[in-house]
Amino acid sequence: MTDITFITQTKNLIDNLKSVCANYGLGNDGNEFKIITQVFLYKFMNDKFQYEAKKVNEKLATAKNFQETLEQLSEEEFKFLIALIGPDIPQLHAEQTITHLWNKQTQDDFARLFDDTLRGISIENSEIFSVKSSGGAKDKMFDDLSQYISDSSQRDAFCKALINKLVEFSFERMFEEKYDFFATIFEYLIKDYNTDSGGKYAEYYTPHAVARIMAAIMVNEEVSGVTCYDPSAGSGTLLMNIAHAIGEKNCSIYSEDISQKSSNMLRLNLVLNNLSHSIPNIIKTNTIAEPYYLDQKFDYIVSNPPFKLDFSDFVADLSKDRFKDRFFAGIPNVPKAKKESMSIYLMFIQHIMYSLSKTGKAAIVVPTGFITAQSGIEKKIREAMISRNMLRGVVSMPSNIFASTGTNVSVLFLDNQADNEHIVLLDASKLGDTIKEGKNQRTVLSKKEEQRIIDAMNKKLPEEDFSVVISADDIKAKNYSFSAGQYFEVKIEYTDITAKEFEEKMKTFETNLSVLFNESKTLEIEIQNNLKGLRYE
């Protein structure tokens, strides 16, 4: 089975689940998102359990009927099976599999059986698969999905329809493959539910090109046993890309995000990307006001923080002593009007600088205006990056690289072991092709253009009107500007011409000027005549 075939079948499964919801009156309903993502998670956990069980148990691996053989295992054999597959793998009993439910469709009160099954899986797998809040409370992996159908007489049929869609194919054959292609599936899965326009704590997609570039620049050597953190993780695109660059088994993922929806999607993304061992590190919290990982330092930090957001509800608490070191450059003022325009991203930048380990690296998406602001918190932060020798480089991205916002963005690359004599500033604003995406325009980078950016940063390559390699002192001399354009060399080109060519050019200039002067005199006379004709009435 090829990646394309697999992706097509998986997208068909998602469409079929949406169709079931629509047929039972839940199309575009607020609960449709929960149903689709939770059923999809159940499907993946089921297939992952079967795949791992076959790897460690020869009887199950060679069985003509996996379900029958699983049901025939003794209690001791089953306990031994669970021990062998390990704690990071979903653990299901024989009566909790999709096949078992499919075989029980003629049973009365099937909806109750369906809900009880998912509830049991949630309880038994909560230690590794539940998302925690900052207070330590764990969420439920699955709701009683049948209860979203208001007509109780339709609940059995609804749950049966869901199960019938889940048995049509298996993920198992793809578990040996590299997981990068799951990004396409995951985006397709959540594209209708991840709002990107307005609203408090609205979630935004980070384009995969930006995420790939960030990961490739940050990870240019083999590492292991490292920690990766995102303080505004969303659905986890940035974390998935850096984990792939490092190697899923070589890193642990940590995240914070205020959105329960984003935290649940990140959990699913971790499962899809072979990173379920990091699910206990997903924390639903307000990173700025109630940071769960305040006392922990990280090796790699990636972030596309919200740029503008009203945080006036908790701004007073941020002046407490425990936050003083973190917000060294200050806290943005609360405007009298348009509180939603508060620059919360400045808080995230300072939080990230505070959270880096002594050898840590970070990549942060910021509005491009940040890199040239001549005063305020923005400049104080830039000054600190230079004085602390943290700045590795900056990439200014093309306009509309994010389809959902017209804000121009740049990516800051920080490194606590940066070479302050060879800082790379890069202007990629002229790259990419513009395509229409819905109502918006989006700039798309080619693979070649992505690699050009990566090479210029990693190899420290200066290129005319594209990249410069400068020192910290050069940046101080330019009033701490991080804009590549301010360091480009201005070149004046000279062209040799003959005396005759020079004379002809001068005659042409004189003729053109004479015509323009005559037109100007005519206009002056017309204006004077019009003024003389004006009368007071």
Side-chain angles (χ1 to χ4, degrees):
M1 186 187 298
T2 66
D3 288 2
I4 294 175
T5 302
F6 172 72
I7 290 172
T8 300
Q9 290 184 344
T10 308
K11 287 182 176 181
N12 287 339
L13 168 62
I14 295 167
D15 289 340
N16 288 338
L17 293 173
K18 289 181 178 180
S19 178
V20 170
C21 289
N23 290 339
Y24 287 87
L26 294 172
N28 297 319
D29 181 88
N31 294 314
E32 184 188 28
F33 163 76
K34 294 181 180 179
I35 295 168
I36 300 296
T37 53
Q38 290 182 28
V39 169
F40 194 85
L41 176 60
Y42 174 42
K43 169 65 175 171
F44 194 88
M45 293 178 70
N46 176 90
D47 292 359
K48 184 68 171 175
F49 167 73
Q50 291 189 179
Y51 171 75
E52 296 294 340
K54 290 176 183 177
K55 283 173 61 177
V56 299
N57 187 296
E58 187 176 353
K59 190 187 295 185
L60 291 171
T62 58
K64 291 183 178 180
N65 188 313
F66 176 89
Q67 183 65 31
E68 286 183 4
T69 306
L70 182 64
E71 291 174 357
Q72 292 168 3
L73 292 181
S74 67
E75 185 176 343
E76 288 301 316
E77 286 177 316
F78 181 76
K79 287 182 179 178
F80 187 60
L81 171 67
I82 294 300
L84 286 176
I85 66 174
D88 294 341
I89 304 302
Q91 299 179 6
L92 276 66
H93 293 279
E95 66 273 13
Q96 293 173 329
T97 67
I98 290 172
T99 302
H100 177 80
L101 290 179
W102 188 78
N103 291 336
K104 294 290 183 179
Q105 287 187 81
T106 57
Q107 180 176 312
D108 292 338
D109 206 1
F110 182 79
R112 180 187 293 274
L113 174 64
F114 181 85
D115 288 338
D116 288 347
T117 298
L118 295 188
R119 190 181 307 113
I121 294 171
S122 179
I123 293 170
E124 291 161 18
N125 290 272
S126 63
E127 191 63 31
I128 188 69
F129 285 94
S130 285
V131 171
K132 290 186 296 186
S133 68
S134 57
K138 294 183 177 180
D139 74 337
K140 294 189 303 179
M141 287 170 57
F142 302 108
D143 297 315
D144 291 343
L145 299 182
S146 71
Q147 299 305 302
Y148 292 126
I149 303 297
S150 56
D151 184 349
S152 59
S153 68
Q154 291 188 321
R155 289 173 183 167
D156 284 354
F158 171 69
C159 294
K160 291 175 185 178
L162 292 176
I163 287 295
N164 284 328
K165 298 303 181 185
L166 297 182
V167 298
E168 292 179 355
F169 87 103
S170 173
F171 285 110
E172 286 187 56
R173 293 182 62 183
M174 299 310 297
F175 290 142
E176 296 289 348
E177 304 294 329
K178 185 66 179 173
Y179 285 77
D180 287 1
F181 55 82
F182 271 117
T184 303
I185 297 168
F186 188 76
E187 185 172 285
Y188 187 80
L189 173 66
I190 64 173
K191 66 182 175 66
D192 293 334
Y193 309 113
N194 201 23
T195 178
D196 61 7
S197 56
K200 194 158 187 175
Y201 307 116
E203 294 121 338
Y204 295 84
Y205 283 120
T206 302
H208 290 297
V210 176
R212 285 193 297 268
I213 290 169
M214 289 167 68
I217 291 172
M218 293 180 73
V219 186
N220 51 23
E221 60 184 0
E222 288 189 11
V223 294
S224 62
V226 295
T227 55
C228 304
Y229 170 62
D230 188 337
S232 54
S235 57
T237 299
L238 292 177
L239 285 171
M240 296 309 102
N241 276 270
I242 195 164
H244 293 322
I246 294 170
E248 294 85 350
K249 294 181 180 180
N250 295 327
C251 63
S252 295
I253 299 297
Y254 293 80
S255 75
E256 295 177 277
D257 199 287
I258 200 167
S259 167
Q260 180 67 54
K261 182 174 74 172
S262 288
S263 297
N264 286 334
M265 288 191 289
L266 176 55
R267 168 175 52 197
L268 181 53
N269 214 353
L270 290 172
V271 174
L272 289 176
N273 285 275
N274 208 27
L275 288 158
S276 58
H277 60 274
S278 291
I279 292 175
N281 303 331
I282 303 173
I283 304 298
K284 188 194 89 65
T285 190
N286 182 328
T287 307
I288 301 303
E290 299 177 346
Y292 186 82
Y293 294 117
L294 183 62
D295 299 323
Q296 188 163 342
K297 304 299 181 183
F298 298 95
D299 301 310
Y300 293 88
I301 302 179
V302 288
S303 181
N304 176 20
F307 292 172
K308 303 289 184 182
L309 203 64
D310 177 7
F311 58 92
S312 58
D313 293 346
F314 55 86
V315 70
D317 295 332
L318 301 181
S319 60
K320 293 179 180 178
D321 288 343
R322 73 190 191 106
F323 293 135
K324 190 176 293 182
D325 291 340
R326 189 167 56 138
F327 301 126
F328 63 89
I331 299 167
N333 294 324
V334 179
K336 293 181 180 179
K338 293 187 177 181
K339 290 183 179 180
E340 69 278 2
S341 68
M342 294 173 70
S343 299
I344 195 169
Y345 79 94
L346 297 173
M347 314 292 285
F348 277 98
I349 296 175
Q350 295 177 82
H351 173 80
I352 289 166
M353 293 172 68
Y354 178 85
S355 301
L356 270 181
S357 70
K358 291 181 180 179
T359 58
K361 301 178 181 181
I364 315 165
V365 179
V366 298
T368 293
F370 167 83
I371 68 176
T372 56
Q374 292 300 298
S375 61
I377 296 173
E378 294 91 335
K379 189 180 178 185
K380 288 181 181 178
I381 293 174
R382 298 201 313 273
E383 289 175 348
M385 290 176 179
I386 297 301
S387 65
R388 299 179 190 181
N389 293 333
M390 295 181 73
L391 184 66
R392 180 185 168 192
V394 179
V395 176
S396 295
M397 291 291 178
S399 299
N400 299 318
I401 194 77
F402 287 76
S404 56
T405 174
T407 304
N408 290 339
V409 303
S410 295
V411 182
L412 304 175
F413 290 93
L414 307 182
D415 187 339
N416 270 333
Q417 294 183 316
D419 175 3
N420 65 1
E421 292 296 321
H422 298 87
I423 298 168
V424 182
L425 303 183
L426 191 152
D427 181 4
S429 62
K430 298 180 180 65
L431 301 185
D433 294 317
T434 301
I435 64 170
K436 189 164 176 109
E437 192 172 86
K439 297 179 181 178
N440 302 311
Q441 298 284 334
R442 184 160 74 92
T443 301
V444 177
L445 296 171
S446 68
K447 293 292 185 183
K448 187 176 180 180
E449 289 172 324
E450 288 182 31
Q451 195 58 51
R452 182 183 175 192
I453 294 170
I454 294 165
D455 287 343
M457 284 294 297
N458 287 345
K459 298 178 182 179
K460 300 183 185 298
L461 300 176
E463 186 178 333
E464 186 177 338
D465 293 334
F466 182 67
S467 59
V468 292
V469 181
I470 56 175
S471 69
D473 287 338
D474 294 328
I475 291 177
K476 291 177 186 177
K478 290 285 188 180
N479 205 21
Y480 295 93
S481 172
F482 290 178
S483 174
Q486 293 195 24
Y487 300 86
F488 290 154
E489 183 181 353
V490 178
K491 294 185 178 180
I492 301 175
E493 295 185 0
Y494 296 92
T495 304
D496 291 331
I497 59 175
T498 64
K500 185 177 180 180
E501 289 173 332
F502 176 78
E503 187 177 343
E504 289 177 352
K505 280 182 176 290
M506 293 305 295
K507 286 182 178 179
T508 301
F509 291 151
E510 289 174 5
T511 302
N512 290 339
L513 280 172
S514 295
V515 172
L516 291 173
F517 287 155
N518 289 333
E519 289 180 355
S520 176
K521 289 178 181 178
T522 302
L523 289 172
E524 288 174 9
I525 293 170
E526 288 183 7
I527 292 170
Q528 288 175 343
N529 290 336
N530 287 334
L531 287 173
K532 290 178 181 177
L534 291 176
R535 296 288 184 272
Y536 176 78
E537 294 182 4

